[in-house]
Amino acid sequence: MYRLFFVLCLCYGLLGHASSEETTTSVYEHCGNLQLQENIQIKLITGTWYVIEVLQHKTDEKFNEEKFDVPTCPSVFLTLAGSDTDLKLYWNEDLGDVEYLFKIRDRTAPGFWTSSGSQNGTLVQVTSYDQFAGMVYVRKAISNHMVLTFCSPNTQLYSVVLARDKTLDPRDLKSIVNHMHLQKLPITQTKRTCRNSASSARATVWMTTAFCLTYLVWYLQQYK
């Protein structure tokens, strides 16, 4: 009886693992099965964003679920390019910039973009830049943060977590990661950016609080 129970549990675990790998492989090879957020208004997601994290999904031996901080704080500027179906995305960081062009092929699915032409910019010229040719999925887009998944068949598969400010609530980041796990989309590497900005923001809050408390103590001593 116990042996049968053990075998059933083992089989269930193996099947679950195989199912996860099969889903990942399917998404990676064909860029399908990725859910979009519905009812997106493109004009509301244009403007300046900051890159908070870059999540790698590619199942490759060189990615081992590591997490590390990158000493930079890239910004992204998204704008319409002449019509409501043409988009430009400007990526800017310390090393340079890149300009992406995207096309919305289906007006009923504004969260699904396809690349249009090659990328331009100083990063393309001065680094070993890999041209992106594929699709972008708007996985989540609300007032203060957005998640874009870039997929190029058999080449690239990663997500970018963007925020309107240079910081994002850890609870929001955790929710994003949990949602990806539920969809069986693995995270094989996490690059965290804008960390210096987050530390500076926290330091400013603490300094302001300390100043206010000091002033309050002084005021009470003067007028008690």
Side-chain angles (χ1 to χ4, degrees):
M1 182 67 181
Y2 290 107
R3 289 181 178 178
L4 177 60
F5 177 75
F6 176 77
V7 170
L8 289 174
C9 290
L10 180 61
C11 290
Y12 177 79
L14 291 174
L15 287 173
H17 180 69
S19 175
S20 178
E21 286 192 347
E22 181 180 354
T23 301
T24 303
T25 302
S26 174
V27 170
Y28 175 60
E29 290 182 350
H30 308 295
C31 297
N33 301 328
L34 289 168
Q35 294 182 0
L36 303 174
Q37 177 170 316
E38 298 180 355
N39 302 320
I40 294 175
Q41 296 185 44
I42 293 297
K43 290 184 178 180
L44 295 181
I45 64 173
T46 57
T48 301
W49 298 86
Y50 295 96
V51 179
I52 304 300
E53 288 187 349
V54 179
L55 308 174
Q56 179 64 241
H57 305 302
K58 185 178 178 183
T59 52
D60 195 305
E61 291 181 355
K62 67 180 180 180
F63 301 120
N64 54 5
E65 300 184 10
E66 61 182 339
K67 298 180 180 180
F68 59 92
D69 296 345
V70 181
T72 185
C73 188
S75 64
V76 165
F77 184 75
L78 184 65
T79 183
L80 292 170
S83 71
D84 58 358
T85 59
D86 294 308
L87 295 169
K88 281 186 179 181
L89 187 152
Y90 297 94
W91 177 293
N92 185 275
E93 59 179 86
D94 295 340
L95 294 177
D97 57 78
V98 182
E99 178 187 276
Y100 296 82
L101 299 176
F102 297 107
K103 186 80 173 179
I104 299 174
R105 304 289 181 182
D106 185 355
R107 292 177 181 270
T108 64
F112 178 68
W113 313 339
T114 57
S115 59
S116 177
S118 59
Q119 288 87 62
N120 298 305
T122 56
L123 278 177
V124 178
Q125 301 170 3
V126 301
T127 63
S128 55
Y129 179 81
D130 293 327
Q131 287 285 337
F132 176 79
M135 287 74 74
V136 173
Y137 298 79
V138 182
R139 310 291 301 283
K140 184 178 183 181
I142 58 177
S143 60
N144 70 326
H145 68 274
M146 178 167 63
V147 181
L148 304 179
T149 296
F150 291 70
C151 187
S152 180
N154 299 313
T155 307
Q156 301 178 63
L157 181 61
Y158 61 93
S159 294
V160 179
V161 180
L162 304 165
R164 287 297 190 184
D165 297 318
K166 294 182 179 180
T167 59
L168 186 60
D169 193 313
R171 291 171 296 184
D172 291 326
L173 288 171
K174 185 176 181 180
S175 174
I176 291 168
V177 170
N178 289 341
H179 183 68
M180 290 183 177
H181 286 326
L182 287 174
Q183 293 189 328
K184 298 182 180 179
L185 187 61
I187 297 175
T188 55
Q189 185 189 77
T190 302
K191 292 182 181 179
R192 300 179 295 198
T193 57
C194 295
R195 293 291 155 169
N196 291 336
S197 300
S199 299
S200 299
R202 286 193 294 268
T204 300
V205 171
W206 281 109
M207 290 177 63
T208 302
T209 303
F211 173 79
C212 291
L213 290 174
T214 302
Y215 178 80
L216 179 61
V217 171
W218 176 85
Y219 181 85
L220 292 175
Q221 289 176 344
Q222 293 295 318
Y223 297 98
K224 64 181 179 178

